[in-house]
Amino acid sequence: MTEHIDHTLRGRWTTTEASLPPHALKWLRERTGLGDVRTPARPPGVPESGLSTAARAALGEVVGPGYVRVDHDSRLGRAGGLSYVDLLRQRGDGELAVPDAVVLPASPEQVVEVLAVCVEHDVAVVPFGGGTSVVGGVNALRGDKAAVIALDLNRLDKLVEVDPVSRLAVFQAGLPAPRAERLLAAHGLTIGHVPQSYERATIGGFAATRSAGQASSGYGRFEDMVEGVRLATPVGEWRLGGAPASAAGPDLKQLVVGSEGAFGVITEVALRVRRRPEVERYEGFVVDGWERGSALVRELAQRRVLADVTRLSDVDETEVSLALGGGWKVNALKGYLKARGVREPCMLILGWHGASKREVARRRAEALRGVKALSLGKVLGEAWRHGRFNGPRQRDALMDVGVCVETLETATHWSKVSDLRAAVREALVDALGECVVMCHISHAYETGASLYFTALAARDAADPIGQWQVAKAAASEAITGLGTISHHHAVGADHVPYLEAEIGGLGLDVLASVKRTLDPTGVLNPGKLLAGDIGVSGLASPGDR
């Protein structure tokens, strides 16, 4: 078992790992009105723990006294996730919700016992994996509880079982994704789930948020891989799954996947796994214009010849990738594209995984048959692959020089993709003023696609948190009615106000009923997924909402 390691800002990529080259900073100033400022992080305040002596002792009896931590560094390291607002608060802006303690169980059985103690002592529980939520999903909200703990699952880090015949593997929930892949590699297998949070995220976090990876076009979304779950709840343990398919009523397993710690704590996940690819080929292409590019991706999806990784950047994102990325002779490339009649270059990345060069070549040929796109070859594709996890590091560097930088995502049907993109762009520009708004298709389906937006603006020094909250609210209102409020970031706390518009009041009643059954006193992750105060009698009844 690996030893747990504390980090003062656990889950946060440090600014020493990225920097902005002078040409990128110059470009940002020209496009966003950014001033010549430096805004280094400053330590936020950490209040004293409010966990009672009795609760601390009872938790220590379950996990061991050394695994109930109330020191400032341990608590600060689990204070929020990785959203722009979270990072601002961790840098000393605004009020940071800090848990009263960090509790580290070593087994699924201990998780059940910890929940029982928290019910007895009226303590809220926030499950914590890699801490990579960008929608407030791991913020230490206590609701009306006496205290709140971060339930860190880092010690639940085992590959429990591998069934190579059925191609199934059972993982404990706290296992980080890179280590899960290394353990599977010894069996010649892979999960194939690689979101941008991959370096820090955990198996349990993927399941709890219905995660989607960069290669989901080939491997599927994470919920497609889940064959079984083990859930600890305040009323006991619940195990689901046991067959590759079932008609024994609604799929309750999928009720747990995506429940964000509000119904229980996922402690084990059984996943469908696949053979590790022997060959991977990534290529870059350029399409002239967003409409042509999105139509091309739609064609690939509906012909069922999508590459495992399929990613289309709009004109603005393509420009930013070239301007900030470095390593390219940008002017020469622009001249090359212009000479070939490309006026609005949109970058398309396609990546194929396969058991052999022949298989990859066959799939590539099928996908590109009749496709009108200018190939830039493997160099661009490999550059994207090697920089695929750079976003969080670059964000820290951007924040250091006073940039407001944040992302949001959604999904809709093909007939609405361009309307949705335009509506969100307009909302963000109206709210932020002089800014850059980028968009890419990150995942494609036969019926539609996801849109992933990134906004860059000069940070409002007087109210940096309010600046983004106004913009995010405007974008969320623009999304409502056209697409989903979240394709893969989940609901968390940030998207709670928009959930009813998507699933209806009756849908909220259904979720509230499940919550009351599994968590009758409301200790689990208050304020996430479901709106309303959670007290000792559970959520308000449907008629009281």
Side-chain angles (χ1 to χ4, degrees):
M1 179 177 291
T2 58
E3 179 64 23
H4 174 76
I5 299 175
D6 281 321
H7 301 284
T8 301
L9 293 179
R10 183 175 182 269
R12 179 181 180 274
W13 284 264
T14 63
T15 56
T16 59
E17 294 177 307
S19 61
L20 288 177
H23 75 274
L25 194 55
K26 179 178 181 293
W27 183 90
L28 278 168
R29 287 172 178 158
E30 292 172 351
R31 288 294 304 270
T32 68
L34 182 69
D36 187 9
V37 298
R38 292 278 169 178
T39 56
R42 61 184 187 275
V46 181
E48 292 304 312
S49 172
L51 188 68
S52 69
T53 302
R56 182 176 176 182
L59 290 167
E61 289 182 7
V62 175
V63 301
Y67 292 108
V68 181
R69 301 181 181 174
V70 296
D71 62 283
H72 285 195
D73 283 355
S74 294
R75 293 164 53 213
L76 185 59
R78 284 75 167 185
L82 288 176
S83 73
Y84 172 68
V85 170
D86 288 336
L87 295 185
L88 283 174
R89 288 170 175 158
Q90 290 168 353
R91 287 167 173 252
D93 286 308
E95 185 176 347
L96 181 67
V98 180
D100 294 294
V102 178
V103 178
L104 298 106
S107 68
E109 293 80 10
Q110 284 189 1
V111 176
V112 176
E113 294 182 60
V114 166
L115 295 185
V117 169
C118 289
V119 169
E120 180 181 356
H121 292 270
D122 197 35
V123 175
V125 179
V126 179
F128 198 98
T132 61
S133 173
V134 293
V135 291
V138 294
N139 290 357
L141 306 181
R142 70 183 63 211
D144 63 353
K145 301 306 174 189
V148 56
I149 66 165
L151 185 65
D152 192 318
L153 301 176
N154 190 250
R155 295 173 70 201
L156 273 70
D157 62 354
K158 294 186 179 69
L159 172 58
V160 178
E161 180 184 356
V162 176
D163 178 352
V165 176
S166 305
R167 289 192 184 170
L168 291 174
V170 179
F171 304 87
Q172 289 188 329
L175 188 62
R179 187 158 179 264
E181 284 291 350
R182 289 195 296 271
L183 292 171
L184 275 182
H187 301 272
L189 300 170
T190 183
I191 301 171
H193 190 73
V194 188
Q196 193 174 65
S197 62
Y198 172 81
E199 294 175 309
R200 299 295 178 106
T202 62
I203 298 298
F206 290 155
T209 58
R210 299 180 76 87
S211 175
Q214 293 169 345
S216 290
S217 293
Y219 292 87
R221 291 168 56 92
F222 200 77
E223 70 261 28
D224 301 326
M225 305 174 184
V226 175
E227 292 282 331
V229 290
R230 184 175 180 181
L231 189 76
T233 82
V235 294
E237 188 173 72
W238 194 17
R239 294 179 183 247
L240 290 162
S246 172
D251 188 357
L252 297 180
K253 176 174 77 265
Q254 290 299 333
L255 186 64
V256 171
V257 175
S259 59
E260 303 186 39
F263 297 162
V265 180
I266 295 172
T267 57
E268 288 183 0
V269 184
L271 295 178
R272 176 261 292 155
V273 292
R274 291 182 176 173
R275 289 179 58 187
R276 290 182 66 81
E278 298 292 332
V279 178
E280 296 183 13
R281 177 173 178 143
Y282 285 79
E283 290 185 57
F285 300 82
V286 169
V287 185
D288 191 9
W290 170 261
E291 294 297 339
R292 289 181 182 177
S294 58
L296 187 157
V297 175
R298 173 170 57 84
E299 178 191 348
L300 295 177
Q302 293 179 345
R303 283 203 287 125
R304 299 188 181 186
V305 290
L306 281 168
D308 298 294
V309 173
T310 304
R311 177 187 176 110
L312 173 74
S313 296
D314 69 2
V315 174
D316 294 284
E317 185 168 280
T318 300
E319 180 183 357
V320 172
S321 297
L322 297 176
L324 302 190
W328 281 88
K329 296 180 180 178
V330 177
N331 291 331
L333 178 59
K334 288 182 177 178
Y336 173 80
L337 296 176
K338 187 175 181 181
R340 281 152 182 79
V342 179
R343 298 293 182 266
E344 296 182 337
C346 292
M347 184 169 63
L348 174 66
I349 299 295
L350 299 178
W352 293 272
H353 298 182
S356 66
K357 289 184 178 180
R358 177 178 293 182
E359 178 189 340
V360 168
R362 176 185 57 77
R363 290 185 58 207
R364 177 182 179 276
E366 289 176 354
L368 298 182
R369 187 178 299 118
V371 166
K372 295 179 180 180
L374 183 62
S375 174
L376 297 182
K378 294 182 182 180
V379 174
L380 183 59
E382 287 299 320
W384 176 85
R385 181 166 71 140
H386 289 296
R388 66 201 299 182
F389 305 128
N390 286 347
R393 301 183 185 91
Q394 291 172 341
R395 184 172 59 172
D396 280 338
L398 289 165
M399 290 182 69
D400 284 346
V401 296
V403 177
C404 168
V405 49
E406 184 57 301
T407 64
L408 59 92
E409 44 76 45
T410 179
T412 192
H413 296 121
W414 285 115
S415 58
K416 300 177 183 177
V417 161
S418 291
D419 289 342
L420 179 57
R421 172 176 169 269
V424 173
R425 282 177 53 83
E426 182 180 359
L428 290 171
V429 171
D430 286 347
L432 293 172
E434 191 174 6
C435 64
V436 177
V437 178
M438 301 167 272
C439 178
H440 67 259
I441 288 177
S442 60
H443 305 81
Y445 309 92
E446 287 188 61
T447 57
S450 66
L451 296 177
Y452 193 101
F453 296 87
T454 303
L456 300 172
R459 186 154 72 241
D460 183 344
D463 185 14
I465 291 178
Q467 176 191 22
W468 175 250
Q469 287 177 332
V470 168
K472 177 64 182 286
S476 298
E477 291 293 340
I479 288 170
T480 301
L482 281 175
T484 176
I485 197 60
S486 178
H487 172 263
H488 58 270
H489 282 168
V491 176
D494 294 357
H495 294 151
V496 164
Y498 308 97
L499 187 59
E500 183 170 4
E502 184 157 334
I503 68 173
L506 186 58
L508 289 183
D509 293 343
V510 171
L511 295 181
S513 296
V514 175
K515 174 78 169 175
R516 283 193 295 270
T517 298
L518 298 176
D519 181 26
T521 64
V523 299
L524 288 171
N525 221 4
K528 321 297 169 48
L529 186 64
L530 290 164
D533 293 331
I534 303 171
V536 294
S537 59
L539 287 172
S541 65
D544 297 332
R545 195 175 52 242

